[in-house]
């Protein structure tokens, strides 16, 4: 059930799901206010990063863990807090969706099914399993972000403006990609752009569809986590607006900031986090 910062939560297990491994500083107003301010600041930066280079989850997720949240609770709260940013991405690609109604419906249905599967897996499997898997997922997300420029150049080189039918394997690939998105989600956009770009040979369309499918997956996860997950709504209340503002500002300055140094920082940070989580597990 949804978590809260209304009172300290001791370590333990309830219905096989993890609770906080340590007690957050509720009841210590100054420290608690600092925690919220830190979460909001990092969420803002994550929103900016998502608009410029992608990979904001790799910044916010470990911050929430550092604040004392268990890995599952941090992942769930991270997913909910960053949801508004996906809607901004969809709005930015409005022109690209012209004539794509049927494809959006088909792909959206697959994303809804995959996102549901991944979110349910996260909440129904033991938290210890996620603790074992999450370092691998963080490392995978970091490496995917590292090779994204190479993938983008390859797709641009192979781009073909002509329409082509959707291959059957694309639906299978989208399902498993969005299962991953519902379960963890770091660098989901990189995976979706790669899969869609290879299948459709239209990079701009792949980017647009990526935003729509990410939004569908995130919305499904939001509903499931809100109803059944250990969401920390106080964190969400400050982090979600900050992420939205960061995403908006990031889109405005994306053309003025070199993405390579930023991407290098995120990848390095993500690898360091994965090593820490490996040791912690």
């Amino acid at each position: 059930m949804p978590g809260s910062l209304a009172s300290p939560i001791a370590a333990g297990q309830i219905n096989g799901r993890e609770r906080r491994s340590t007690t957050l500083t509720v009841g210590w107003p100054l420290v608690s206010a600092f925690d919220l301010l830190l979460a909001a600041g990092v969420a803002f930066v994550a929103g900016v990063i998502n608009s410029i280079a992608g990979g904001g989850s790799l910044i916010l997720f470990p911050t929430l863990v550092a604040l004392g949240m268990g890995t599952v609770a941090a992942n769930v709260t991270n997913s909910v807090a960053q949801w508004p940013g996906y809607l901004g991405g969809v709005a930015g690609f409005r022109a690209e969706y012209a004539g794509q109604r049927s494809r959006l419906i088909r792909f959206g249905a697959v994303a809804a099914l995959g996102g549901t599967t991944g979110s349910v897996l996260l909440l129904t499997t033991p938290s210890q399993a996620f603790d074992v898997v999450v370092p691998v997922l963080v490392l995978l997300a970091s490496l995917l972000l590292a090779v994204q420029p190479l993938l983008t150049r390859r797709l641009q080189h192979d781009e073909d403006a002509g329409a082509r039918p959707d291959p059957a394997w694309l639906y299978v690939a989208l399902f498993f990609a969005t299962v991953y998105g519902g379960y963890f989600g770091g660098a989901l956009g990189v995976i979706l752009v790669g899969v869609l770009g290879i299948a459709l040979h239209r990079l701009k369309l792949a980017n647009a569809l990526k935003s729509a499918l990410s939004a569908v997956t995130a919305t499904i996860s939001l509903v499931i986590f809100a109803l059944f997950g250990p969401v920390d709504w106080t964190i969400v209340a400050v982090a979600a607006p900050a992420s939205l503002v960061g995403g908006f500002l990031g889109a405005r300055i994306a053309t003025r900031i070199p993405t390579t140094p930023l991407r290098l920082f995120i990848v390095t940070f993500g690898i360091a986090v994965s090593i820490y989580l490996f040791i912690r597990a």
Side-chain angles (χ1 to χ4, degrees), residues 112-182:
L113 182 59
T116 300
T117 303
S119 299
V120 171
L121 279 174
L122 176 66
L123 296 180
T124 56
T125 53
S127 61
Q128 293 88 342
F130 184 77
D131 288 339
V132 171
V133 172
V134 71
V136 179
L137 296 179
V138 172
L139 180 61
L140 173 64
S142 302
L143 295 177
L144 285 172
L145 197 61
V147 302
Q148 184 185 31
L150 298 177
L151 178 62
T152 300
R153 284 196 292 270
R154 174 63 183 272
L155 293 177
Q156 286 174 331
H157 181 267
D158 293 341
E159 188 161 353
D160 179 5
R164 61 179 63 213
D166 302 332
W169 64 261
L170 174 59
Y171 293 88
V172 178
L174 289 177
F175 172 75
F176 283 108
T178 51
V179 168
Y180 166 83

Side-chain angles (χ1 to χ4, degrees), residues 262-276:
L262 181 61
R263 189 187 310 277
L264 179 61
F265 168 76
I266 300 169
V267 170
T268 303
F269 183 78
I271 292 174
V273 169
S274 69
I275 293 173
Y276 167 74

